[in-house]
Amino acid sequence: MSTRPGLEIAVVSPAGARTAREHGADRVELCTGLELGGLTPSTAAVEAAVESGPPVHVLVRCRPGDFVYDGEEVALMAAEVRAALRAGARGVVVGALTPDGALDTSALATLAGAARDTDPAAQVTLHRAVDQASDPVAAVAALPGLGITRVLTSGGAPTAIEGSAVLTAMAAAAPGTDVAAGGGVRPGDIAGLLTAGAGSVHLSAKTRATPRRAAGWVPLGAGGTSAEDDTHFVTDGAVVAAARRALDAAAGGEGHAPG
């Protein structure tokens, strides 16, 4: 029996988790540094999001940049996996590649093992490192053997809707693996992504927060090019609600009970 497609929203705060829940998300992926592609949030943030939102899956990524990690970084992320699950997360979202673009199966086995040892029921998702793999479809085909049951992917393209054909090939390559379409997803894309074989959809539904400062401004880092741009992202409930409506319509109008 098929499972109703789920709606996951990437959020960066407990407030974002709460907004996602109130507007129809089935679960959230919690991270920080969304403008960097997402980094591991603090344990306190995980605990607060678990209390205020729907089921929480935590992105575990110890730094921005490529997905080729040394042993110290893998050990750190294994510790972050354990901390996230002990804080109440239902799952973790991880990824690692070798320099030539293959899955780093040793690193992934360590991370998935840390999850299973901490909470045997936790879901482990491969994140969008797969979109930088040399062969994304072959990478997905290898996931069941690693105990990874879900992949978040744009099909190796800049946006998921552009990668639809690869999403279809991924779903065929790993039956039973939830291919979650993510990457530039808009509510209007959702029907097409489900048709392509996506088992769930993921979007950030983000908008820039209005800066609260009233005093002067000076740049504090590489991303601060102006006072207007030096802000953070928040979750837009209207976008979450539009995605919920689009998903329910595409899946046959089954409806959704938030929370």
Side-chain angles (χ1 to χ4, degrees), residues 93-201:
V93 187
V94 300
L97 300 175
T98 64
D100 61 357
L103 285 185
D104 186 338
T105 55
S106 176
L108 289 172
T110 296
L111 298 174
R116 286 193 298 270
D117 290 346
T118 306
D119 179 1
Q123 184 173 50
V124 181
T125 297
L126 177 67
H127 61 46
R128 290 192 62 205
V130 71
D131 294 322
Q132 294 187 7
S134 54
D135 187 340
V137 176
V140 170
L143 296 183
L146 295 168
I148 297 175
T149 59
R150 184 170 179 266
V151 58
L152 173 61
T153 177
S154 65
T159 67
I161 198 67
E162 294 174 85
S164 293
V166 176
L167 293 177
T168 301
M170 288 176 166
T177 298
D178 177 12
V179 176
V185 173
R186 301 290 183 265
D189 300 329
I190 288 175
L193 294 171
L194 296 185
T195 299
S200 57
V201 294

Side-chain angles (χ1 to χ4, degrees), residues 17-118:
R18 187 166 54 251
T19 297
R21 180 198 67 204
E22 291 170 350
H23 290 84
D26 293 301
R27 67 183 182 190
V28 300
E29 179 194 82
L30 181 69
C31 66
T32 189
L34 198 57
E35 67 278 8
L36 300 173
L39 300 172
T40 309
S42 71
T43 300
V46 177
E47 292 172 343
V50 166
E51 289 187 5
S52 66
V56 175
H57 288 224
V58 172
L59 176 65
V60 175
R61 183 182 178 216
C62 64
R63 58 160 173 79
D66 63 49
F67 301 105
V68 181
Y69 299 109
D70 60 30
E72 184 175 16
E73 291 170 324
V74 173
L76 172 60
M77 289 190 290
E80 291 176 331
V81 164
R82 291 188 287 268
L85 294 175
R86 288 169 182 158
R90 299 277 190 89
V92 291
V93 187
V94 300
L97 300 175
T98 64
D100 61 357
L103 285 185
D104 186 338
T105 55
S106 176
L108 289 172
T110 296
L111 298 174
R116 286 193 298 270
D117 290 346
T118 306

